[in-house]
Amino acid sequence: MRLSRYFLPVLKETPSEAQIVSHRYMLRAGMIKQSAAGIYSWLPLGFKVLKKIEGIVHEEQMRAGHIPVLMPTMQSADLWRESGRYDAYGEEMLRITDRHDRDLLFTPTAEELITDIFRSHVSSYKDLPLTMYQIQWKFRDEIRPRFGVMRGREFYMKDGYNFDLTKEDALHAYNRHLVSYLRTYERMGLQAIPMRADSGPIGGDDTHEFLVLADTGESEVFYDSAVTDIRLGERDIDYNDVDQCRAVMEEFTALYARTDETHDAALFDQIPAERQRSARGIEVGQIFYFGTKYSEPMGATVQGPDGKSVPVHMGSHGIGVSRLVGAIIEASHDDKGIIWPEGVTPFHCGIVNLKQGDDEADAACNQIYAALVAAGLEPLYDDRKERAGGKFATMDLIGLPWRITVGPRGLKNGVVEVTCRRTGESEELSPEEAVKKIAKIYEPHTAGRGF
């Protein structure tokens, strides 16, 4: 993309309503625009990041054997009355009556709808296990929406649902989701710590939230500092291996890590004092096992091996896709702007022409741009007739991880400047070597990807 042809409404001043870093930078970088309280339009730059995150979520869900579907944003209230949640959910649910006086609701979550799909088509244990998921817009009518996409009313979410014959099978699904979520977050450059949490209106006794530590987090968390040293990394995990998935779950949840709702001061005091930590965290996902909470009242049963009809065991598993955009910014920024991890950056590399209109500089930028595209990358070429300082400020604000700077002086020596946004370090390379360097950096993030 050439910046002269792109829609990037960058703001020089911070809007007064933006209270946290991610909200400020998303508005200033032209990623979002508020449409109503807690509801945003996603502008081109923000939409690209949203789709990058969505792509990673899809890839890791399907790697774990989960099947994508798409359910409507509007649901019948009758399904929620079957489960008993219609009146219990609270005022966050947006309830609607259509022209035929039928009660509808704007989806906050979809346990009832997916259970209805399951009971309509599955009747035998031979069709289990089964996990389906979607990435779809949701709505929860927050009384005080704030912090931009971090606590909005409309949000983009991955919600998945497992159906299993036994509790043991369903707990394997729980562990499988935990492993897949760890891999998902690490690919985004985040450390999201699984913490024992409260189930809230979803229900069930087994649940973990995934939290990214950040000063602006809404949740107070307590944890053993040793949990921050654990990484999944590039381990080869067989999602069908019950013992292997259980071992990862135990490794990542054995040390103390809890949200405020489940904090146990007596257990916390047993941790060595030098490792006791309290902080703020941003919730970016949650997994639940709730057994037959929905399958029993809604008649989601299968015929077991003995011929008897039994309700299936279920769980649900969510990732806040739109919230992750804000969480990544909260975890990765400086006083100049955003610093995108390579896995989610909207463009892989920025190209800055220090002297637009100079034949040699223009030709070099065009060659670098074409070479990056040929390597399967997406560069953003700042070809505007703007001063160099303004171009650098824009690149720093929008946070592309790498920048190639091209100017007449360097070209006389056969070099361009390659700069790392995170460290600020630069090196001079030939245009060809600069392209090779950028392509090499992104190999782990582009090879074999897609869904």
Side-chain angles (χ1 to χ4, degrees), residues 56-77:
I56 291 173
V57 173
H58 270 301
E59 289 164 10
E60 293 304 328
Q61 284 300 294
M62 285 189 282
R63 187 196 291 205
H66 307 158
I67 303 168
V69 298
L70 185 63
M71 293 178 279
T73 57
M74 303 300 298
Q75 295 187 34
S76 168

Side-chain angles (χ1 to χ4, degrees), residues 8-79:
L8 187 69
V10 169
L11 304 177
K12 292 184 178 179
E13 302 297 327
T14 299
S16 58
E17 71 270 20
Q19 300 175 356
I20 63 172
V21 168
S22 59
H23 194 191
R24 291 199 298 269
Y25 283 154
M26 289 184 76
L27 289 171
R28 285 197 54 211
M31 295 178 66
I32 56 172
K33 183 184 184 302
Q34 182 169 300
S35 173
I39 302 173
Y40 293 88
S41 295
W42 288 77
L43 306 184
L45 192 74
F47 186 59
K48 278 185 71 69
V49 177
L50 189 70
K51 300 306 285 185
K52 288 285 184 76
I53 290 172
E54 179 184 0
I56 291 173
V57 173
H58 270 301
E59 289 164 10
E60 293 304 328
Q61 284 300 294
M62 285 189 282
R63 187 196 291 205
H66 307 158
I67 303 168
V69 298
L70 185 63
M71 293 178 279
T73 57
M74 303 300 298
Q75 295 187 34
S76 168
D78 291 340
L79 287 175

Side-chain angles (χ1 to χ4, degrees), residues 418-432:
V418 179
T419 303
C420 174
R421 174 70 178 87
R422 185 169 299 279
T423 65
E425 296 177 356
S426 298
E427 63 176 321
E428 291 184 338
L429 298 170
S430 70
E432 296 77 15

Side-chain angles (χ1 to χ4, degrees), residues 320-347:
V321 176
S322 54
R323 174 178 275 221
L324 272 166
V325 180
I328 291 169
I329 295 171
E330 292 292 334
S332 186
H333 67 272
D334 60 16
D335 58 2
K336 296 179 181 179
I338 303 163
I339 305 174
W340 292 116
E342 280 83 358
V344 299
T345 181
F347 295 96

Side-chain angles (χ1 to χ4, degrees), residues 301-365:
T301 62
V302 295
Q303 188 178 58
D306 58 1
K308 294 181 179 179
S309 181
V310 293
V312 292
H313 287 255
M314 294 175 57
S316 67
H317 317 275
I319 288 180
V321 176
S322 54
R323 174 178 275 221
L324 272 166
V325 180
I328 291 169
I329 295 171
E330 292 292 334
S332 186
H333 67 272
D334 60 16
D335 58 2
K336 296 179 181 179
I338 303 163
I339 305 174
W340 292 116
E342 280 83 358
V344 299
T345 181
F347 295 96
H348 297 108
C349 179
I351 303 171
V352 172
N353 189 339
L354 294 180
K355 195 171 183 181
Q356 195 70 37
D358 178 86
D359 290 344
E360 189 178 6
D362 290 355
C365 287

